[in-house]
Amino acid sequence: MNKTDISAKQMEATVALYLVGSSLVSGGSTRAQQDTWFCMLAAIILIIPLAWVHSRILQLYPGQDYFQNIFLALGRPAGLAVCVLLIMNALNIGAIVLRLFSEFVHIINMTETPVIFILASITTVLVYILNSRLYVLARVSKFVLPYIFVSVAITLLLSYRAMDLNNLKPVLHSRPADLLSGIVTSFTIPYSEIVLCAPMFGVLDRKANTFHVFLKGILFAFIILFTAYLRNTLVLGYAASTYNFPSYEAVSVIQLGDFFTRIEVLIGINLLLAGFVKSGVLLFTSCEGLAKVFGYKDYGPLVAPVSLLILTASVLVSKDTVEMYRWIEDLPIYSMPFQVLLPILVLIVGKIRRKFKKPAKQGVEPAAAAPRKT
């Protein structure tokens, strides 16, 4: 394994924090209200086949990264169109996530600080990290993930006095339309967004099992998000859906005597760390995709300009927090084609083209490196 390659454990942690990212801040509530736990369970089942699709796309032409496999599977014109759509989706979600975390910092801790200054500060650190290569972000993720696991578990235990099991009742009493909407929302935000972290697997250790890495990262994210949702709902009840940052509000009730208070500061750190990793992954995907589209050998020269583009979009995406959450509510509607339909289409077309490719043209395929396990 090269020094710049990412190990399986590092990739699992990066995928987990990427998925946790903004959902840990927004709380994961859906129209299903107290039945959102059922929607989350359904979403984790639905994402397994999609993770398999992404792992198979990465194996269409061994030795090539995600975007290169799309070009080879669809051909240059169609592959270019699909890559551009994925890049636009990454830029859009990147702008929303960056704005979400800047609003969190602004509202909770730095009310007198202009949002643009917070955005610029986060973006500057992201540029520095990605210019140091992706493996630096992956190593940070491996270090941060255990801390988030422990802090979520501790806050769950310490908030037991404020919990009320009646907040989960009546069980499965939501309307079918609300349950379906909740499943779609839980599936789209965040699980189907793994399409935008798939390009990272181009620097994954060749001996790693791609599909298993996807599954473990998704499982780690699910454990964190499901635990946080139960904590928020049991403590806040129906009011959880009315708060902008329910995780922060739920933990703020924890108090042990007069000496152990303000533990929500730890949760604030968790949210910022997870959001930082997610923003970094989205920035990398945007830069890597643009590098492939424009024929650059390396994404490095694009980091700064793409960061400025995302920064500008995050300022323009909404006027305030209310408008920002309206964007997030509409995200499943226009993200579904990019995150679900396009990957399935790429895999089907790629398999068909490989199967019916004429023997005379097989020599055009790129030289296969040591294939990853699936």
Side-chain angles (χ1 to χ4, degrees), residues 5 76 150 179 184 190 201 225 265 303:
D5 283 346
R76 184 69 187 181
V150 171
L179 278 176
V184 171
F201 283 72
L225 292 176
V265 173
V303 173

Side-chain angles (χ1 to χ4, degrees), residues 101-347:
F101 281 94
S102 65
E103 290 285 350
F104 172 74
V105 174
H106 176 71
I107 293 173
I108 299 300
N109 293 317
M110 305 174 71
T111 55
E112 300 298 326
T113 304
V115 174
I116 184 63
F117 180 80
I118 301 172
L119 287 168
S121 301
I122 297 174
T123 304
T124 301
V125 178
L126 286 174
V127 171
Y128 175 77
I129 290 290
L130 282 187
N131 276 328
S132 300
R133 313 314 295 176
L134 184 64
Y135 72 90
V136 176
L137 185 67
R139 291 175 182 176
V140 172
S141 301
K142 185 181 177 182
F143 174 78
V144 169
L145 184 62
Y147 168 75
I148 293 184
F149 265 119
V150 171
S151 59
V152 170
I154 290 175
T155 56
L156 178 68
L157 295 175
L158 293 179
S159 59
Y160 76 97
R161 291 184 179 179
M163 292 181 179
D164 185 359
L165 290 177
N166 290 322
N167 290 336
L168 293 176
K169 299 177 182 179
V171 178
L172 296 180
H173 196 67
S174 302
R175 297 183 304 167
D178 290 337
L179 278 176
L180 181 60
S181 173
I183 292 172
V184 171
T185 301
S186 298
F187 173 73
T188 309
I189 307 174
Y191 296 111
S192 69
E193 292 177 0
I194 59 170
V195 64
L196 300 178
C197 69
M200 294 191 304
F201 283 72
V203 291
L204 178 65
D205 180 16
R206 299 290 174 184
K207 298 179 181 178
N209 188 314
T210 307
F211 183 54
H212 288 176
V213 171
F214 267 123
L215 284 186
K216 288 182 180 179
I218 292 170
L219 180 61
F220 291 154
F222 171 76
I223 293 172
I224 294 173
L225 292 176
F226 193 75
T227 303
Y229 166 76
L230 289 179
R231 179 198 62 205
N232 298 346
T233 303
L234 290 173
V235 172
L236 301 176
Y238 287 96
S241 60
T242 64
Y243 289 109
N244 289 328
F245 310 111
S247 292
Y248 190 86
E249 298 293 340
V251 175
S252 66
V253 305
I254 298 176
Q255 183 173 350
L256 298 178
D258 296 326
F259 64 93
F260 192 68
T261 60
R262 302 293 296 175
I263 195 175
E264 65 267 23
V265 173
L266 297 178
I267 286 298
I269 296 174
N270 286 356
L271 302 180
L272 287 176
L273 290 173
F276 179 80
V277 172
K278 181 160 189 172
S279 298
V281 171
L282 291 169
L283 177 59
F284 167 80
T285 297
S286 302
C287 296
E288 182 73 6
L290 288 171
K292 294 298 185 294
V293 168
F294 292 109
Y296 283 80
K297 294 183 179 179
D298 183 57
Y299 70 87
L302 297 173
V303 173
V306 174
S307 299
L308 290 175
L309 179 61
I310 293 178
L311 173 61
T312 304
S314 65
V315 174
L316 300 175
V317 73
S318 63
K319 297 179 181 178
D320 50 35
T321 308
V322 175
E323 187 175 340
M324 179 190 65
Y325 271 96
R326 287 175 183 168
W327 271 91
I328 295 176
E329 289 176 0
D330 295 335
L331 199 58
I333 299 175
Y334 61 83
S335 290
M336 187 72 75
F338 301 105
Q339 299 171 359
V340 179
L341 300 181
L342 282 182
I344 295 174
L345 177 65
V346 169
L347 181 61

